């Protein structure tokens, strides 16, 4: 199963997004990394790497991020992780995580199909 990692500058936000995504998708490898090492606002590559490694079961991982520096730390974490086929989705983090989590439950899911599902959330109107 394709794993999903949510990265946010807030650990509470990342955890909450995963909680919502799990509710919508049921099962799956859904991990999060958020906040800086001191418990404040920020991101750090080591917890992101750990989340990627935990979420991976060999089918790859899709990473969703909230803000610019999270991308930089996620890219570094991907380089450090011993996991093949990890991509960052260019998607809104909450809506993208929901789409990705549902898509990842398909027996035919691939990293590319899960990433595409996450990125389709960019076009969803809320009103």
């Amino acid at each position: 199963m394709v794993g999903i990692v949510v990265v946010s500058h807030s650990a509470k936000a990342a955890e909450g997004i995963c909680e919502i995504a799990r509710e919508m998708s049921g099962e799956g490898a859904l991990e999060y990394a958020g906040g800086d090492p001191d418990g404040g606002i920020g991101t750090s590559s080591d917890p992101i790497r750990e989340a990627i490694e935990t979420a991976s079961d060999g089918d790859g991982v899709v990473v969703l991020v909230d803000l610019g520096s999270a991308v930089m730390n996620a890219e570094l974490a991907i380089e450090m992780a011993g996991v093949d086929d990890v991509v960052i989705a260019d998607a809104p983090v909450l809506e993208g995580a929901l789409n990705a989590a549902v898509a990842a439950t398909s027996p035919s899911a691939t990293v590319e199909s899960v990433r595409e599902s996450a990125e389709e959330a960019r076009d969803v109107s809320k009103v």
Side-chain angles (χ1 to χ4, degrees):
M1 179 175 280
V2 175
I4 299 165
V5 173
V6 173
V7 179
S8 174
H9 281 69
S10 165
K12 290 179 183 178
E15 182 179 17
I17 290 166
C18 284
E19 180 183 11
I20 294 167
R22 277 191 193 97
E23 184 70 26
M24 299 297 289
S25 66
E27 58 185 79
L30 200 59
E31 299 292 328
Y32 68 90
D36 71 11
D38 298 324
I41 298 297
T43 61
S44 177
S45 58
D46 283 333
I48 300 169
R49 176 191 50 78
E50 291 170 8
I52 290 169
E53 290 172 348
T54 301
S56 175
D57 72 355
D59 291 333
V61 176
V62 175
V63 179
L64 292 109
V65 298
D66 64 356
L67 299 170
S69 62
V71 174
M72 178 187 66
N73 280 315
E75 289 172 339
L76 182 58
I78 290 168
E79 289 178 21
M80 295 184 323
V83 176
D84 292 329
D85 209 9
V86 182
V87 299
I88 299 173
D90 184 13
V93 67
L94 173 58
E95 295 88 343
L98 293 176
N99 280 9
V102 171
T105 64
S106 169
S108 61
T110 64
V111 166
E112 195 59 27
S113 69
V114 173
R115 181 193 58 79
E116 288 173 2
S117 291
E119 290 179 353
E120 287 173 2
R122 290 184 299 208
D123 301 324
V124 174
S125 176
K126 294 184 184 184
V127 292

